[in-house]
């Protein structure tokens, strides 16, 4: 206790003037004992004050009582545990706290005086009810009692009634009060009986009901339970002797006891799917719960009732629409958007909570201005049907950072002009059916009529599932031009097909328009080993080799069960290729070998395919044989990592826990 020890140090310095060293040691020793006693006294008085406040609440009863040498440990019907101390030190002048017959806090400084009411701004303080406050006591560095009514944040001195005299905790010659806070404390006939100190003090009787309890675990009561939108949590409760229960929860929340055999005492709580709580939910009913924050279980047994409560809240969540409205920057794959850059955009907020939402009307070949869609609601999907043309910037963002809504296209999207940016979405490609040359591909360039018309395709913090064909496909016609920049980062990609390329520029034209390809911090995975999946397939069969200027990088990704020839790059002509800090983990039973990349033409770009971790396969991991102009390690064989780089595999959610010895490698998606 900092205040007490500050007082001790001050008094100790004053004693240095003593000339008799024995007297000095005796004084210091006595002072230490006195300070220790004072610390104990402050603890006792604050504990008793809190206990009185709880016991004075109407309807409170005790479910368990444990007697110690100087105290009772009481477990109450609201789940709280309080300590009631019955012994004080006669050498200290200690205020004795009580409650008078009208329910106001009182204080007694001397056994020959009458208890007086504690006041705040001259007004007496109730011990319970809506205006009730619980005082907290302390001692300043000079040894005077202080009191706080805001849980110790601010203290004021205690003065004797009608005077400006502070009340000393250690004053010499003072007349201490009685050495107990209560006239008597007894346990009899299943009751705890408290007779408070002072005249006109009430007697408090609290029933002891040992065979009836409905309470949360102590650790669940210590803090607010935070949920993500739609998250489900289970809380194991102590339930005995309960005849009936009634559960109340904030609007949008759901709470019910489990119906699973053996888990009847488990309360299952589900947060709102959208993460928003209507303003109407802020209204409270004090008899049961704060409906804006509490999950409350009202349990009854005969004439007794108790309420067990935990506080719940939605985690502080990112709201991208609010950020946009407030002028904040939103970054998507390295591109910044805000309401200044896109002041003329068509801004839409769409909610799929109650039904699927069609996005078809926001795409066409003559879009007059950019479109920004903020999507929310996970109960249903956002859909598109026929081929969609994109002729201006289209930006699609899952509105809330803690939920990923589902975009479910049923046909290809055709790039014409502008940018196509995705952030914080689940993109389900299982229904892509396409037409003609576009069959099975999500995005193509079959509309980019001039060089530089379409600048960017970027995926940021997305989950792309059920990939059966290419995510991007070059239409391979001389009249179409490439996309300047393609980026996928911080995303999860579930591949359910063999021998496909995620980004397919096979035999494309006008390759000079492809400037950069970035693939960073992603997880690419399949529950079963998939052979021959490529990240980029680029073979310039229809164009001069000199057109190739692509700078490509695959850095800090985790690949699980993705194997086969030309697995990562089929790469013809560009300025640089970097494959570094990746983890490649394949079932050790997969009977394949795997290549890192192929380089097919006699040209000399900068190639850095080093410092990667490989594990698994029954055959070797290799570099693809290339011409002598390409610099590679002396050995074509790549050494396997000695132990598995992944310790836990969660294919359903695309989460793979990395081993401690591969820090710095692989994806670290939050």
């Amino acid at each position: 206790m900092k205040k007490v020890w500050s007082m001790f140090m001050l008094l100790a310095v004053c004693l240095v003037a003593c000339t008799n060293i024995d007297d000095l040691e005796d004084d210091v020793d006595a002072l230490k004992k006195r300070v220790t006693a004072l610390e104990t006294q402050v603890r006792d008085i604050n504990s008793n004050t809190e206990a009185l406040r709880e016991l004075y609440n109407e309807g409170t009863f005790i479910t368990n009582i444990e007697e110690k040498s100087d105290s009772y440990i009481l477990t109450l019907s609201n789940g709280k545990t309080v300590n009631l101390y019955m012994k004080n030190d006669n050498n200290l002048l200690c205020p004795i706290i009580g409650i008078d017959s009208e329910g106001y806090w009182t204080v007694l400084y001397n056994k020959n005086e009458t208890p007086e009411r504690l006041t705040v701004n001259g007004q007496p303080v109730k011990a319970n009810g809506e205006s009730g406050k619980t005082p907290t006591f302390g001692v300043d560095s000079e040894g005077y009692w202080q009191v706080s009514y805001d849980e110790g944040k601010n203290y004021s001195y205690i003065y004797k009634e009608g005077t400006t005299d502070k009340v000393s905790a250690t004053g010499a010659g003072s007349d201490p009060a009685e050495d107990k806070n209560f006239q008597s404390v007894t346990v009899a006939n299943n009751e705890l009986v408290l007779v408070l100190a002072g005249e006109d003090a009430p007697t408090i009787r609290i029933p002891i009901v040992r065979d009836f309890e409905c309470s949360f675990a102590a650790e669940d009561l210590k803090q607010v339970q935070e949920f993500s939108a739609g998250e489900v949590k289970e809380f194991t409760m102590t339930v005995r002797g309960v005849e009936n229960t009634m559960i109340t929860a904030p609007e949008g929340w759901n709470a019910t006891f489990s119906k699973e055999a053996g888990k009847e005492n488990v309360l299952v709580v589900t947060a709102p799917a959208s993460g928003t709580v209507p303003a109407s939910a802020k209204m409270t009913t004090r008899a049961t719960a704060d409906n804006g924050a509490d999950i409350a279980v009202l349990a009854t047994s005969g004439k007794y009732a108790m309420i067990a409560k935990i506080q719940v809240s939605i985690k502080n969540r990112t709201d991208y629409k609010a950020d946009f409205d407030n002028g904040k920057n939103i970054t998507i794959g390295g591109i910044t958007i805000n309401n200044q850059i896109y002041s003329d955009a068509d801004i839409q907020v769409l909610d799929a909570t109650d039904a699927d939402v069609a996005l078809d009307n926001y795409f066409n070949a003559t879009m007059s201005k950019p479109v920004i869609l903020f999507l929310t609601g996970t109960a249903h999907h956002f859909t598109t049907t026929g081929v969609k043309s994109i002729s201006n910037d289209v930006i699609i963002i899952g509105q809330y950072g803690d939920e990923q809504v589902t975009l479910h296209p049923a046909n290809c999207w055709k790039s014409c002009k502008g940018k196509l940016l995705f952030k914080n979405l689940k993109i389900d490609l299982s229904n892509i059916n396409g037409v003609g040359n576009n069959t099975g591909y999500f995005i193509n360039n079959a509309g980019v009529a001039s060089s530089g018309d379409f600048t960017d395709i970027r995926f940021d913090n997305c989950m792309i599932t059920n990939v059966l064909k290419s995510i991007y496909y070059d239409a391979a016609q001389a009249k179409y031009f490439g996309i300047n920049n393609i980026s996928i980062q911080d995303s999860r990609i579930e591949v359910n097909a063999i021998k496909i390329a995620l980004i397919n520029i096979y035999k494309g034209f006008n390759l000079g328009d492809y400037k950069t390809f970035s693939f960073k911090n992603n997880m690419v995975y399949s529950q079963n080993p998939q052979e021959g999946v490529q990240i980029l397939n680029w073979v310039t069969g229809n164009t001069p080799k000199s057109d190739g200027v692509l700078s490509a990088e695959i850095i800090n990704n985790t690949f699980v069960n993705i194997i086969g020839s030309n697995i990562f790059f089929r790469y013809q002509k560009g300025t640089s290729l970097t494959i570094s800090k990746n983890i490649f983990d394949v079932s050790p039973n997969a009977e394949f070998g795997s290549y890192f990349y192929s380089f097919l033409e006699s040209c000399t770009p900068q190639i850095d395919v080093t410092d990667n971790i490989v594990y698994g396969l029954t055959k070797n991991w290799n570099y693809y044989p290339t011409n002598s102009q390409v610099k590679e390690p002396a050995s074509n064989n790549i050494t396997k990592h000695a132990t598995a780089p992944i310790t836990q595999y969660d294919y359903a959610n695309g989460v793979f826990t990395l081993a401690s010895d591969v820090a710095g490698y692989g994806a670290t998606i939050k």
Side-chain angles (χ1 to χ4, degrees):
M1 179 177 169
K2 186 174 182 181
K3 291 184 177 181
V4 173
W5 284 106
S6 297
M7 177 191 70
F8 167 69
M9 294 301 296
L10 176 65
L11 295 177
V13 170
C14 295
L15 290 173
V16 172
C18 298
T19 56
N20 187 313
I21 194 66
D22 293 333
D23 291 344
L24 176 59
E25 291 176 351
D26 290 344
D27 288 341
V28 171
D29 191 48
L31 183 57
K32 286 182 179 179
K33 293 179 180 179
R34 193 172 186 80
V35 169
T36 300
L38 185 56
E39 286 181 318
T40 302
Q41 186 61 55
V42 172
R43 177 208 67 184
D44 292 357
I45 193 173
N46 285 327
S47 182
N48 285 349
T49 303
E50 174 65 20
L52 281 176
R53 167 68 187 274
E54 293 294 337
L55 294 171
Y56 200 69
N57 285 330
E58 184 177 357
T60 296
F61 58 91
I62 297 168
T63 61
N64 188 60
I65 184 167
E66 182 180 357
E67 185 173 358
K68 300 290 187 180
S69 60
D70 63 345
S71 67
Y72 286 106
I73 301 175
L74 310 176
T75 303
L76 307 181
S77 53
N78 61 5
K80 293 184 178 180
T81 299
V82 296
N83 291 331
L84 201 62
Y85 291 93
M86 288 82 70
K87 182 180 179 181
N88 292 322
D89 194 312
N90 270 332
N91 293 322
L92 302 174
L93 181 61
C94 172
I96 295 178
I97 300 303
I99 301 173
D100 67 18
S101 58
E102 296 181 28
Y104 290 97
W105 288 110
T106 64
V107 60
L108 177 65
Y109 305 113
N110 190 294
K111 65 183 180 182
N112 297 320
E113 297 177 354
T114 301
E116 60 189 64
R117 288 176 174 176
L118 285 172
T119 60
V120 176
N121 298 323
Q123 298 299 314
V125 182
K126 278 280 191 180
N128 63 358
E130 289 194 28
S131 61
K133 301 178 185 295
T134 304
T136 302
F137 293 87
V139 178
D140 74 356
S141 60
E142 297 179 347
Y144 290 101
W145 284 103
Q146 294 180 307
V147 64
S148 168
Y149 295 101
D150 56 8
E151 299 180 345
K153 296 177 182 176
N154 298 285
Y155 281 90
S156 58
Y157 286 105
I158 298 174
Y159 298 100
K160 293 186 177 181
E161 189 174 17
T163 74
T164 58
D165 297 333
K166 300 175 185 177
V167 178
S168 174
T170 59
S174 60
D175 184 11
E178 296 289 341
D179 65 344
K180 55 189 176 183
N181 284 301
F182 314 99
Q183 293 186 40
S184 64
V185 180
T186 57
V187 176
N189 299 322
N190 290 321
E191 280 188 327
L192 176 69
V193 182
L194 304 177
V195 181
L196 304 185
E199 297 180 5
D200 194 33
T203 296
I204 301 177
R205 297 178 178 272
I206 305 96
I208 301 171
V209 185
R210 298 180 186 271
D211 56 354
F212 173 39
E213 184 176 1
C214 182
S215 63
F216 288 97
E219 57 268 23
D220 293 333
L221 300 174
K222 291 179 181 179
Q223 59 189 6
V224 176
Q225 301 296 321
E226 290 190 330
F227 289 69
S228 298
E231 184 177 6
V232 179
K233 290 186 178 182
E234 294 185 348
F235 299 90
T236 301
M237 302 183 67
T238 299
V239 179
R240 52 189 173 87
V242 174
E243 295 176 357
N244 297 290
T245 59
M246 182 178 73
I247 302 172
T248 60
E251 185 174 341
W253 292 75
N254 183 63
T256 183
F257 279 107
S258 173
K259 296 182 180 180
E260 185 177 340
K263 298 179 67 174
E264 292 82 0
N265 63 329
V266 174
L267 188 71
V268 181
V269 178
T270 306
S274 66
T276 56
V277 179
S280 61
K282 303 301 181 184
M283 300 176 61
T284 63
T285 305
R286 293 188 63 86
T288 54
D290 173 355
N291 290 342
D294 291 347
I295 302 288
V297 181
L298 173 64
T300 61
S301 178
K303 66 178 181 179
Y304 295 110
M306 66 172 63
I307 297 174
K309 296 186 293 184
I310 53 170
Q311 288 193 314
V312 295
S313 71
I314 297 292
K315 294 178 182 176
N316 290 334
R317 59 195 334 221
T318 299
D319 184 336
Y320 291 111
K321 176 59 166 58
D323 288 349
F324 184 87
D325 290 343
N326 293 328
K328 294 183 179 180
N329 292 336
I330 301 173
T331 302
I332 305 177
I335 292 180
T336 297
I337 73 164
N338 56 45
N339 61 6
Q340 292 84 41
I341 297 172
Y342 286 96
S343 59
D344 64 336
D346 178 10
I347 312 295
Q348 299 289 333
V349 178
L350 305 174
D351 191 339
T353 298
D354 297 324
D356 285 355
V357 176
L359 304 182
D360 298 75
N361 291 337
Y362 300 104
F363 305 90
N364 60 68
T366 58
M367 298 167 64
S368 61
K369 56 184 177 180
V371 171
I372 303 178
L373 306 179
F374 292 96
L375 309 183
T376 186
T378 58
H380 296 273
H381 298 163
F382 295 89
T383 64
T384 60
T385 53
V387 175
K388 300 295 127 189
S389 294
I390 300 168
S391 57
N392 209 318
D393 290 5
V394 173
I395 302 167
I396 306 177
I397 302 174
Q399 180 174 350
Y400 297 109
D402 59 354
E403 69 175 15
Q404 283 193 332
V405 302
T406 300
L407 176 62
H408 207 184
N411 213 314
C412 69
W413 291 11
K414 182 170 65 174
S415 303
C416 299
K417 291 183 179 180
K419 300 180 179 72
L420 179 57
L421 309 179
F422 302 91
K423 188 177 183 71
N424 189 39
L425 301 168
K426 180 178 179 181
I427 304 173
D428 184 349
L429 300 182
S430 59
N431 281 351
I432 291 289
N433 51 37
V435 292
N437 292 333
N438 306 322
T439 301
Y441 307 118
F442 179 29
I443 305 168
N444 66 32
N445 66 331
V448 184
S450 299
S451 177
D453 275 0
F454 208 94
T455 62
D456 294 273
I457 296 175
R458 304 197 180 217
F459 297 85
D460 188 335
N461 187 33
C462 291
M463 186 171 188
I464 308 173
T465 64
N466 296 307
V467 176
L468 303 172
K469 292 288 185 69
S470 298
I471 295 173
Y472 171 79
Y473 181 80
D474 188 293
Q477 295 186 36
K479 61 182 178 179
Y480 299 138
F481 290 79
I483 311 298
N484 294 171
N485 309 292
I486 300 175
S487 171
I488 303 177
Q489 70 174 41
D490 302 332
S491 296
R492 295 176 167 86
I493 304 174
E494 178 196 36
V495 179
N496 290 330
I498 65 172
K499 297 182 179 180
I500 66 168
L502 301 184
I503 307 299
N504 195 341
I505 313 175
Y506 182 68
K507 296 184 178 181
F509 289 82
N510 303 310
L511 295 185
D513 276 84
Y514 291 102
K515 301 295 194 304
T516 68
F517 174 72
S518 180
F519 197 84
K520 290 184 176 181
N521 199 45
N522 302 296
M523 293 185 180
V524 186
Y525 60 95
S526 175
Q527 186 159 356
N528 300 308
Q530 302 290 4
E531 180 190 5
V533 177
Q534 298 172 332
I535 303 306
L536 176 69
N537 185 348
W538 182 14
V539 179
T540 57
N542 297 319
T543 189
K545 293 189 289 290
S546 60
D547 282 0
V549 296
L550 183 70
S551 174
E553 58 183 6
I554 298 181
I555 299 174
N556 275 110
N557 303 284
T558 299
F559 299 92
V560 181
N561 281 340
I562 304 298
I563 60 176
S565 61
N566 305 329
I567 176 173
F568 299 114
F569 262 87
R570 189 177 179 95
Y571 187 77
Q572 176 147 343
K573 171 65 176 177
T575 59
S576 66
L577 167 62
T578 301
I579 303 178
S580 180
K581 296 293 184 181
N582 301 286
I583 290 176
F584 309 106
D585 182 295
V586 181
S587 167
N589 298 320
E591 296 183 354
F592 300 97
S594 184
Y595 292 113
F596 264 3
Y597 69 95
S598 62
F599 187 79
L600 303 182
E601 299 295 333
S602 56
C603 48
T604 56
Q606 298 177 11
I607 294 182
D608 177 11
V609 188
T610 58
D611 201 18
N612 298 283
I613 289 175
V614 299
Y615 179 80
L617 295 179
T618 56
K619 297 182 180 179
N620 292 333
W621 296 84
N622 297 299
Y623 295 103
Y624 192 89
T626 62
N627 66 68
S628 59
Q629 293 180 334
V630 179
K631 295 181 179 180
E632 295 176 336
S635 172
N636 192 38
N637 180 263
I638 302 172
T639 303
K640 292 181 182 179
H641 198 63
T643 56
I646 298 174
T647 59
Q648 291 184 322
Y649 299 80
D650 181 356
Y651 292 100
N653 297 297
V655 177
F656 304 95
T657 305
L658 300 183
S660 59
D661 64 343
V662 296
Y665 292 81
T668 55
I669 304 173
K670 295 181 179 179

